[in-house]
Structures are given as C-alpha cells and as structure tokens.
Amino acid sequence: MTTLTRRSFGALIGASATTLATPGLLRANSTGRLVIIGGGFGGASAARFARINYPDVDVTLVEPYPTFVTCPYGNLILGGKRTLPQITHSYDGLRARGVNVVQDRAADIDPDARTVALESGASLQYDKLIVSPGIGLRWGAIDGYDQAATEVFPHAWMGGDGSQITNLRAQLEALPEGGVVGLAIPENPFRCPPGPYERISMIAHYLKQTNPTAKILAFDSKEGFSKQGLFEDVWAELYGDMIEWIPANQDGRIVAVDVQNKLFISEFGEEHRVDVGNVIPPQTSAAIVRDTGLANDTGWVPVNSRTFEADAARDIHVIGDATIAGPMPKSGYIANSTSKTAVSAALADLTGGSAPSDPVYFNTCYSHGGEDYGISVVAVFRATDDGFEATPDSGGLSPRGPLSELAENRRLEARYADAWYDSITRDMFS
Amino acid sequence: MTRKQLLAVSLLAGIAATGAKADDRTPLLAQSCAGCHGQSGEGMGEIARIAGYDRTAFIAIWEEFRNDERPATIMNRIARGYTDDEVAILADYFSSIE
C-alpha cells in the first residue's frame, strides 16, 4: 500500500469501496492526506477547520453514522424543549467544503504503515491522523447491564442514531401517575460532568407539567458533582421535593440492575424498584484507541498537551473525550477547541509552518435547569510541560443567590446556551 | 491591507486563508470567541456582535469585564483568563472585520 502513489491510491479506493464518496475530491496538488476518525465535536470541527485553513490538504472524515446527533441538548428532548431533528446534523456542509466523508467504521489503525482499515474492508492511507473517537461504555461494570438491557434502561449517553434518547423520552411520557424515575450516575471520569444533573433538571421540568406527583431518584457513585450548588438551587427553587439525590456515602452506588423486574441494586444490596430507569454506565475510551494501544492502563489516551499527538504513536493526534486532559472536562466545547490546535500542529509538519505557540483551550459548559434558567461553568486552559492547567483567577461558575435577584441572569444564560449551540454546530457542520 | 485584515476578510467570506501559519496566534485565539459569538464575530441570538468593534473600545470593555466594572453573565469570568497581549490580538482581529 505504501508504494502506491497518491493518485493510484485514490483510484484504488474509488474502485474497491463503493462506500467511499467522491474520491475525485482528492486534490491534484495536495500537500498531504489528513484522515480524521470520528465525526463529532472534535472530528467535524477538525475537518472544517482544516479545509478552511489548509486548502491544499486532502481531508477524509470517517464516521459510521450518516448524520450526527449531539449529546448537548439531548436532555432538552427529555424536557420537551427540543425534538430529535433539531439536534441532528448532516455532513453535507462538510462535503460541500471538500471533505471526503466516508460512512464507515474505523476497524484498525496501523501506525507503522500509516493506514486505517475500515470495517467495509477498504483501507485509507494517511500522512497525519486525527482520532476523535469518543467514549466506550464499560459493559459489565454494572452487573446485568449489557447491550440488550439498554432497551429497558437506556443510557442515552451517546448520540448514535438518536434512538436511546427518544426511548427515554417515550418512557417518561408513559410513566404512571406518581411513578418513580431512577438514574444511575457513574464515578469520574465520564463524558459531560454536569450532564446527569442537567438531565435530572430537564426530566423534572417535564414531569412538573405532566406528572407532578412523580419522583426522581438520582443514585450517584460520587459524593459531589459539577455545579452542585447551582443545581441544588435549581432543584429547590423549581421542583420542591420531586428530586432526591443519593450520593455514594448514602449507598448511592448502583452495582447491578435487574431489567426484568426493573430493579436498581446498590452496593449494600438495597433493591430499588423504578418505573423508568436511566443507567449512565462507567466509561472508558472508544475501542479503536484501546485496541491499537493508544490508551494506557487507565483506559484513556495520554497526549502531548501542545500538539495532542498520542504518546504511543507518531503522526496520530487524539482529541476529545478519549484523552487524558484533566483538569479540562470531557466536553464537546473542549473537543472543538482543542481540535484546531491538533490540526494546526499536525499540519505544521506537512506545510512548513511551526506548531502553535502558547495554545489556549476554551470551555463553557452551559446547563438548562428549567424554563429561562441557564447556568454555566467557564474555564480557560493552557498547556504545561506535563499536562494542562486552568488559567489562575479566571473562569468559574454562575453566581448563586435568590432567583428573585438572578432571574435575568438565568434567562440570559439560557439564551446564551441556545446561541452557543447554534454557533458551535455551525463551526462543525456549515 | 494588512495581513490580519486579509485573513479576517478571507475568513469572513468563507474563503480559505491560504497558508495560515500556525505561528500567528490569531486564528486559534479567535476560535475561542467564535464558539458563541459566531464564526466571524457576527453575533448569535442574544449574544453580541463583536465583528467590526472599535479596537480601543474592545480593549476598554474587556478591561471592565475583567475588573467586574460592567454588568456581566459570563464575560467577566472569561475576560480574566486572557493576557493583555492576547486581548490586543483579538481586538486587532475583530476590529478588522467589516
């Protein structure tokens, strides 16, 4: 494969794999081939940024799903504030920019040959590879929770085809009057630290209107969580005693489920019957990076803080939730923000530039608590020689205080969250 | 036309800024703002337009956010995370967009 010229490689791919769209997009004067695995917040942003800023580079994006369902704003489907089509995005905008979008699943990476094997049997040659594969769910970490169990107790923690989040929404609609909704929330680290607590809020927002005697039991494997004070204010102000949060030190860790009898079973053997269950299982990096030796024994991928090149392989840059990047959160905005530094660093090698100096990584995580009720955490991160750090004396949480004094602040943050969603999804797909 | 203006116009027009060099911090720094303020700072929903902002005013308002001297929801928290040099780069960039 490596002895083929670029042109003959393109022709070969075109001939051998009908799933590969428009091989003619390979540019005649290409300065290199950038292959990107994963079309989410990291990968789609990387592809678009590369096409705009490095027009001579061939960009191929490998993504198994035909469209992208965002995890951000998925909770708003549960709250009745969005529908699935409103959070589903097409790759046509990237195609129009000249990205070769390949609907396939990356099955294997060969770092020595610099090839990506696809599930369909085709193979892609790269000069630089960006991998933004997202998370994997740790099947078996909760006894009884396997693929089949997700139909009864959806996780709704990966966008996929959208069926997990609509499943959970349908179950909430069918909840018996005064019924019990249970959530099982994992230990750190996991995707979207404030996500479970926004979800609790959005479920309560919906039930308050349709089923006000219902109960939400949030079983947590931790004893604290992101934006905790702000969320506890939301719950007290808007939802009274509908929500009960049960931390690990009050036997909140769910270690097993029984889908037949709809039971959550705690660490100390307590059985909790729920009418609707949402199990957010413990997580690891996606299989592609663990199978190819890019992850270490934590299950996550160590990377260079200035280039995002994986410690374990040359010319492979890993971004997004799969990486070890604390104190940066596993968030869509961080995947988006870091993708641009990763692209710039990777392509500097190919285009004669230098790697970005003093990169700054930016994150705002907005959460919706209810109607016109937004809260946020902000951070500006910088690379250090051995990792990442939050810029001192910056960032932080929305102010706390009585809703009577902060109503306009909460309303504005809710609208800013909506604008963030529109802006960042354009930054990925337009 | 300066190189920065050229870059700004190119990005605004959706035309590739050919040869954007990674050692120019402008594109990567400005991306932080684009996440909420729109691709070229054009504003988004209730989020303010920053494209075409007067350079001196941009820096002065940033300083007010940084010192909590201006009503804010999140920009006060963001403003404290950037150095004077970085704010000047952002002011150059966004003031250059028509």
Side-chain angles (χ1 to χ4, degrees):
Chain A
M1 212 54 165
T2 50
T3 58
L4 293 175
T5 65
R6 197 185 57 74
R7 264 179 197 289
S8 61
F9 174 72
L12 177 68
I13 288 299
S16 64
T18 52
T19 53
L20 292 184
T22 56
L25 284 172
L26 291 174
R27 271 150 284 278
N29 298 310
S30 166
T31 52
R33 293 157 299 188
L34 177 67
V35 172
I36 300 166
I37 296 175
F41 278 81
S45 304
R48 186 173 179 280
F49 184 78
R51 286 297 302 132
I52 291 173
N53 289 286
Y54 302 87
D56 296 335
V57 174
D58 287 326
V59 180
T60 298
L61 178 67
V62 180
E63 164 59 44
Y65 288 97
T67 55
F68 183 69
V69 176
T70 60
C71 283
Y73 274 61
N75 288 332
L76 276 70
I77 291 181
L78 305 179
K81 296 157 82 74
R82 288 290 186 283
T83 60
L84 185 60
Q86 290 173 316
I87 64 162
T88 302
H89 300 269
S90 161
Y91 291 101
D92 287 348
L94 291 179
R95 288 190 184 91
R97 285 190 179 275
V99 177
N100 182 23
V101 180
V102 176
Q103 193 189 331
D104 206 332
R105 189 178 291 277
D108 191 36
I109 300 167
D110 183 338
D112 298 321
R114 293 196 298 193
T115 54
V116 177
L118 303 180
E119 210 165 64
S120 65
S123 173
L124 294 170
Q125 185 85 42
Y126 64 83
D127 297 307
K128 295 288 178 180
L129 179 65
I130 287 184
V131 190
S132 187
I135 56 166
L137 301 179
R138 284 172 49 204
W139 304 114
I142 292 177
D143 195 34
Y145 196 69
D146 54 18
Q147 296 262 12
T150 67
E151 294 300 314
V152 180
F153 289 156
H155 56 77
W157 214 246
M158 299 197 290
D161 62 3
S163 60
Q164 279 283 298
I165 196 77
T166 52
N167 175 332
L168 185 53
R169 167 72 190 183
Q171 291 198 39
L172 291 172
E173 288 172 5
L175 182 72
E177 191 181 336
V180 174
V181 178
L183 291 92
I185 302 170
E187 62 264 35
N188 294 319
F190 64 98
R191 161 178 283 175
C192 191
Y197 313 98
E198 181 191 61
R199 175 166 291 178
I200 291 164
S201 309
M202 284 292 97
I203 292 173
H205 175 74
Y206 171 68
L207 294 177
K208 187 181 173 182
Q209 301 161 53
T210 59
N211 195 341
T213 57
K215 284 279 177 200
I216 301 171
L217 301 179
F219 297 96
D220 209 324
S221 297
K222 305 182 295 305
E223 287 162 21
F225 57 86
S226 172
K227 302 183 211 169
Q228 182 166 351
L230 288 164
F231 276 115
E232 287 175 343
D233 290 348
V234 171
W235 299 343
E237 285 164 349
L238 302 184
Y239 307 118
D241 59 359
M242 179 181 275
I243 298 165
E244 187 181 350
W245 176 67
I246 303 125
N249 60 4
Q250 291 170 34
D251 199 21
R253 182 190 296 272
I254 298 302
V255 297
V257 294
D258 173 348
V259 291
Q260 206 139 36
N261 298 302
K262 290 203 158 182
L263 298 176
F264 280 11
I265 300 150
S266 76
E267 193 170 16
F268 295 110
E270 198 75 33
E271 295 186 348
H272 302 274
R273 172 100 183 27
V274 299
D275 296 297
V276 175
N278 170 214
V279 175
I280 305 168
Q283 294 157 30
T284 185
S285 61
I288 183 76
V289 287
R290 283 180 287 118
D291 293 349
T292 50
L294 297 173
N296 67 16
D297 56 11
T298 67
W300 306 95
V301 181
V303 293
N304 181 291
S305 59
R306 294 188 172 86
T307 66
F308 289 87
E309 192 167 45
D311 287 359
R314 284 281 300 150
D315 299 326
I316 301 178
H317 299 248
V318 183
I319 55 175
D321 295 346
T323 60
I324 297 171
M328 300 201 295
K330 297 187 184 302
S331 76
Y333 206 163
I334 281 296
N336 164 274
S337 176
T338 56
S339 75
K340 294 157 185 177
T341 295
V343 167
S344 302
L347 296 184
D349 252 16
L350 298 178
T351 56
S354 53
S357 59
D358 305 321
V360 181
Y361 309 118
F362 183 72
N363 185 67
T364 300
C365 286
Y366 287 106
S367 302
H368 286 276
E371 197 65 42
D372 287 334
Y373 199 120
I375 52 176
S376 64
V377 59
V378 172
V380 181
F381 298 100
R382 290 165 192 273
T384 65
D385 287 343
D386 54 3
F388 305 90
E389 65 176 10
T391 307
D393 304 318
S394 72
L397 297 158
S398 304
R400 286 183 72 184
L403 185 54
S404 54
E405 289 171 22
L406 289 170
E408 176 61 5
N409 199 306
R410 302 289 190 243
R411 187 195 71 80
L412 274 174
E413 290 218 57
R415 296 292 76 76
Y416 291 170
D418 295 344
W420 167 82
Y421 184 85
D422 290 343
S423 193
I424 202 163
T425 51
R426 285 181 208 189
D427 194 40
M428 298 161 67
F429 297 111
S430 73
Chain B
M1 192 179 259
T2 66
R3 199 184 154 279
K4 283 205 171 79
Q5 284 170 329
L6 182 65
L7 176 68
V9 170
S10 306
L11 287 173
L12 185 65
I15 299 166
T18 308
K21 288 288 181 285
D23 53 3
D24 179 350
R25 297 185 69 202
T26 307
L28 288 174
L29 275 178
Q31 287 294 325
S32 298
C33 311
C36 292
H37 287 273
Q39 282 297 292
S40 308
E42 70 272 27
M44 188 69 61
E46 292 194 29
I47 291 186
R49 177 185 173 91
I50 52 174
Y53 221 96
D54 177 75
R55 184 181 187 282
T56 307
F58 188 103
I59 292 170
I61 289 171
W62 194 288
E63 192 64 15
E64 289 177 12
F65 277 132
R66 193 188 266 165
N67 298 328
D68 281 326
E69 294 164 354
R70 187 180 183 84
T73 46
I74 78 164
M75 269 312 298
N76 51 342
R77 292 177 264 156
I78 295 169
R80 288 191 281 273
Y82 290 84
T83 65
D84 289 344
D85 287 349
E86 289 164 347
V87 175
I89 290 171
L90 295 171
D92 279 341
Y93 173 68
F94 286 107
S95 65
S96 72
I97 298 176
E98 296 291 312

